[in-house]
Amino acid sequence: MAERFDDLTVDVLIVGSGPLGCTFARKLYEKGRSIFMIDAGAKLSQIPGWHLKNSFLYQRNVNEFTGVVESHLHKLSVPQNHSVVPTLDPGALQVDETKPYITNNANPEQNPHFNLPGASATYCVGGMATHWTACTPREHPSERTDLITDEQWDGLYQAAEKLLNTNQNMFDDTKIHEFGGGAPDGVTHFIRNHLVRDTLRSTYPDLNEEETIPQYLPLAGVRRKDAPEFITWSGADTVLGEELLIALETPNKIGGQFQLKEMWQCRELVYEGTNRGTQNVRYAIVRDLLNKKYYRIYAHTIIIAAGAVLTPQILFNSRIRPPALGHYLCQQPKAFCQVVLLQSLVDSIQDNTEWQKIVEKYQRVHPNDPIPIPLSDPSPQCWIPVSDNRPWHCQVQRDAFSYGGVGASVDTRLIVDLRWFGKMEPRFENYVDFSSKVDNKDTFGMPQPTFHVKLSDDEGAAAHKMMGDMLVAAKSLGGFLPGAEPSFQQPGKSLHITGTCRMGKSEQDSVVDGHSKVWGFENLYLGSCGVIPTGTACNPTLTAMAMAIHACEQIPAGN
C-alpha cells in the first residue's frame, strides 16, 4: 500500500544532531537561515544533546559511565553465527542456522574476516557527543588534505575549538585561572597529571619540541567557576550555543528559526535535474518513527550529517551512488592496556616538596588511606601527539569507554589507561557497501551496511611497531592490571571511521567537492567524519567540524 505523506516546507533541513549537524545549524543560523533538524534517535536529556557525563554520579565515579557508553553503541554489521549450542535442552526448538532466515539483524552478507566488528552508531539527539571522551586534537599537518590551505586550516580549527570550548587547561594546574581551568576543592596541584606527564617526558627525551612533547590532552569542556570539581563536558548543545537552545523553547511550529524533531528518520532524498546540467534535491522522505507518519520535507538546502556510515547509507537509498561512495574507508587500529602505578612513582609523591602539604592535609583527614593521592586529585589526561616519526596518536588517561571498566575492588586512583591509535591510508578496495536485498535491512529498515576492510602489510607492521611503543610507555608507568593486559581492540572500536564520503577534486574519486557539496548537486551538503579524505590517527571530530565550517562559508546567507 502506498504511504500517505504530509508536506512540510522549510529553509534548511539538517539530518543528524551530533556535533557536525549542530555546526551547520549554528553557522547557518548565524547567516540568517532557518533550521529544521531531525534525528532518528530520542532526546536523552532535558537539554538537547547534553553530555551525559555531566551527571553528578559520573562526575564522582567515571567508572560508572562505562556501561552508559556501551549501552549507546549500536553495532553496524554483525555476521550470522552458525555455531551449534550442544548444551541446549534436547526438547527445545533447535533452528537450523545455516538457512538464510535472518534474525536479530544479523548480516548474512558480512564476511567476518573483513568486518569492522567494533564499528557502531549512536541513535540519539546529540549523537556520540552524549558520551564521547571530548578529545579534540588538530590533525598533524602531514595528515591534512591540501584541498584547504594551511592558513585556512588554522582559522577553521580556531573556529571549531571555540564552538567546542576545546582547551588544555582543565587538567593543568598552571592554568587554573585561564579559560577552562579551575582548582577542584581548592586543590592547586594536580599530582597524577604531573606524575604521568613528567614520567612520559623522561621516557621519551627525544620528544622535546612544543608539537611533540608529552602534554595535556586538548579536551572539549570547562571547569565550573562555581564548583571547579565539576566539569561541564561539551556536547552537541555546546556547539548549538545559547541562542539556538533558547530558540528551541519558542512555540514549535513550522516557520520558526530553529526546530528539532526527535525520532524522525530521513529515508530518502528525491531530486530532479535543472537546466544547468545539475541535480537539485526537491524533498526528503522522512518518517516519524513512533507515530508512523510520513512526511515530504521540501527544503532549499539539505545537510546530511548522520555519521560516516549512515550518511552514505542515506545517499545509497536515494540512488545517489557516485563511484567513491563508501570507498576509501579508513579506520584506526587501536592498542589498549591499563596499568597500576609503580610503587616507586607513588612513593615519589611524598618526596615532592610542592605536594607535601597537600598530602599531609589529606592524610590528617584520612589517616587510614595508604594512598597519598587525595580523592579530589584530577584524573590524568595526557597526550603524545602524532609526529613525523611517530604516526600514532597516544592517550594516557583515566576515563570511561565501552571497555576498560575497573572492578569495584580496584582503587582507580592508581589506574592509568593507555590507548594508542594508528592509521590506514585511503584505498578504494577498503569500503562499506549497502545491501540491495529486500530482506537484509538494519533495525531502522534501511539497507544493511557490510564492511570490506583489511590492513595492508605495511599498515600491519606499523600497528605492531605502535604496540611496542605503547609497551615502553606502560612499563615506565606501572604494572599491567590483570585482565587489561596489552591487546588490540576490535577493528572499528575506535569509532573513528573516515573516507566514506570523502572530499576531493573529482567525482571519480570523491563524493563531495572542497566545500562538502555533493558532486552534481546544487543544494546537497554532507557533514561527517566520512568527508575527511586522508588517513588520520587522531580523533577526527574537530577536523570534520572545521570542514563543516568551511562548507558553511560557501552556503548562501538568508534574505
Side-chain angles (χ1 to χ4, degrees):
M1 183 178 71
E3 302 292 346
R4 296 183 60 184
F5 293 92
D6 288 342
D7 289 344
L8 300 177
T9 299
V10 303
D11 181 17
V12 178
L13 172 64
I14 299 179
V15 178
S17 63
L20 276 302
C22 289
T23 298
F24 276 95
R26 172 79 172 267
K27 288 301 178 181
L28 294 180
Y29 182 87
E30 290 173 353
K31 295 181 75 169
R33 304 294 297 269
S34 293
I35 311 299
F36 192 87
M37 177 180 281
I38 64 173
D39 199 292
K43 190 172 73 167
L44 304 180
S45 54
Q46 183 177 1
I47 301 173
W50 190 66
H51 198 311
L52 299 175
K53 197 165 62 175
N54 291 330
S55 166
F56 175 85
L57 173 64
Y58 307 129
Q59 297 265 346
R60 288 300 189 193
N61 185 357
V62 72
N63 197 54
E64 296 275 0
F65 199 60
T66 299
V68 176
V69 178
E70 185 175 14
S71 67
H72 286 94
L73 295 177
H74 178 85
K75 299 292 185 184
L76 286 167
S77 183
V78 179
Q80 284 188 307
N81 185 350
H82 298 306
S83 59
V84 176
V85 184
T87 55
L88 180 65
D89 186 324
L93 174 65
Q94 300 193 43
V95 177
D96 182 357
E97 295 288 352
T98 63
K99 293 184 178 180
Y101 179 71
I102 300 173
T103 59
N104 299 324
N105 286 107
N107 181 8
E109 299 176 51
Q110 180 65 65
N111 184 331
H113 296 287
F114 305 112
N115 191 22
L116 298 181
S120 303
T122 295
Y123 290 94
C124 66
V125 172
M128 288 200 182
T130 57
H131 57 71
W132 67 333
T133 63
C135 183
T136 46
R138 299 185 179 193
E139 281 186 340
H140 184 263
S142 65
E143 298 178 315
R144 300 174 193 169
T145 175
D146 60 4
L147 294 167
I148 297 173
T149 67
D150 291 342
E151 183 179 0
Q152 288 175 319
W153 271 122
D154 188 56
L156 293 169
Y157 272 132
Q158 288 183 33
E161 288 163 347
K162 185 176 181 180
L163 288 182
L164 280 169
N165 289 335
T166 292
N167 65 88
Q168 293 179 276
N169 302 335
M170 289 188 288
F171 294 87
D172 185 347
D173 58 17
T174 68
K175 304 288 181 62
I176 283 174
H177 300 294
E178 297 189 22
F179 175 78
D185 292 333
V187 172
T188 56
H189 292 287
F190 301 169
I191 294 174
R192 284 178 294 168
N193 277 280
H194 272 288
L195 198 64
V196 171
R197 186 200 64 178
D198 294 346
T199 299
L200 292 172
R201 288 183 174 181
S202 65
T203 303
Y204 297 99
D206 294 338
L207 301 178
N208 51 26
E209 301 293 332
E210 181 181 356
E211 297 82 10
T212 62
I213 194 168
Q215 56 195 271
Y216 299 121
L217 271 167
L219 296 166
V222 294
R223 290 196 178 275
R224 283 174 45 182
K225 293 298 183 184
D226 61 329
E229 65 271 24
F230 297 126
I231 291 173
T232 300
W233 293 101
S234 297
D237 62 310
T238 311
V239 180
L240 286 175
E242 184 176 355
E243 188 173 352
L244 267 75
L245 291 174
I246 291 174
L248 279 177
E249 298 175 1
T250 60
N252 196 9
K253 61 182 180 181
I254 301 302
Q257 286 191 295
F258 181 46
Q259 297 181 72
L260 170 61
K261 297 291 187 179
E262 60 177 323
M263 292 181 282
W264 280 36
Q265 177 202 21
C266 177
R267 300 186 60 82
E268 184 180 345
L269 305 176
V270 176
Y271 49 94
E272 62 185 3
T274 70
N275 58 12
R276 293 172 293 280
T278 56
Q279 303 289 332
N280 194 70
V281 176
R282 291 190 63 221
Y283 59 85
I285 296 176
V286 172
R287 187 186 186 197
D288 178 346
L289 294 170
L290 286 187
N291 294 316
K292 296 185 177 181
K293 291 183 64 176
Y294 281 85
Y295 293 90
R296 282 187 296 240
I297 301 183
Y298 294 82
H300 299 113
T301 303
I302 311 284
I303 314 290
I304 307 297
V309 174
L310 303 185
T311 293
Q313 182 191 56
I314 292 172
L315 297 188
F316 178 89
N317 203 46
S318 307
R319 291 165 295 283
I320 302 172
R321 302 173 185 177
L325 186 70
H327 289 265
Y328 301 98
L329 185 155
C330 294
Q331 65 101 14
Q332 297 172 343
K334 181 167 66 171
F336 166 72
C337 69
Q338 291 174 306
V339 299
V340 182
L341 287 173
L342 291 172
Q343 180 71 54
S344 58
L345 288 179
V346 177
D347 289 344
S348 72
I349 293 173
Q350 293 177 301
D351 297 331
N352 187 302
T353 55
E354 286 189 325
W355 301 341
Q356 281 179 351
K357 289 184 179 180
I358 297 172
V359 173
E360 290 171 358
K361 179 181 178 181
Y362 175 74
Q363 290 180 331
R364 284 196 297 270
V365 179
H366 304 276
N368 296 322
D369 189 343
I371 301 173
I373 301 173
L375 294 170
S376 58
D377 184 65
S379 60
Q381 300 288 337
C382 298
W383 172 47
I384 307 177
V386 174
S387 55
D388 290 328
N389 298 320
R390 292 170 52 86
W392 42 78
H393 163 88
C394 313
Q395 294 179 204
V396 187
Q397 60 187 143
R398 175 86 273 270
D399 205 343
F401 296 78
S402 62
Y403 55 92
V406 177
S409 61
V410 178
D411 195 315
T412 58
R413 287 176 294 173
L414 299 175
I415 304 303
V416 178
D417 308 334
L418 292 90
R419 295 174 174 84
W420 262 231
F421 298 78
K423 70 175 183 177
M424 298 174 63
E425 293 302 325
R427 297 191 302 280
F428 184 83
E429 59 265 29
N430 285 325
Y431 64 100
V432 58
D433 62 7
F434 304 93
S435 180
S436 297
K437 297 180 179 180
V438 295
D439 62 345
N440 194 12
K441 305 291 186 182
D442 68 10
T443 301
F444 287 77
M446 294 289 281
Q448 171 63 48
T450 299
F451 294 104
H452 310 265
V453 182
K454 185 179 181 180
L455 295 178
S456 69
D457 291 345
D458 287 345
E459 289 162 350
H464 178 74
K465 186 177 180 181
M466 177 182 75
M467 171 64 85
D469 185 68
M470 186 183 74
L471 296 180
V472 171
K475 182 180 178 181
S476 73
L477 288 167
F480 297 120
L481 178 68
E485 294 83 2
S487 65
F488 283 99
Q489 294 291 294
Q490 288 182 334
K493 195 77 168 180
S494 66
L495 308 175
H496 295 163
I497 291 174
T498 60
T500 52
C501 41
R502 69 198 304 249
M503 179 183 288
K505 298 177 182 179
S506 164
E507 59 185 325
Q508 297 306 311
D509 62 3
S510 60
V511 177
V512 299
D513 66 14
H515 283 88
S516 301
K517 185 164 67 171
V518 175
W519 289 108
F521 281 80
E522 294 192 350
N523 64 340
L524 177 58
Y525 295 81
L526 305 185
S528 164
C529 291
V531 170
I532 298 172
T534 54
T536 178
C538 72
N539 316 61
T541 300
L542 185 75
T543 297
M545 285 181 60
M547 297 170 84
I549 294 169
H550 187 57
C552 290
E553 293 173 350
Q554 187 196 59
I555 298 174
N559 294 327

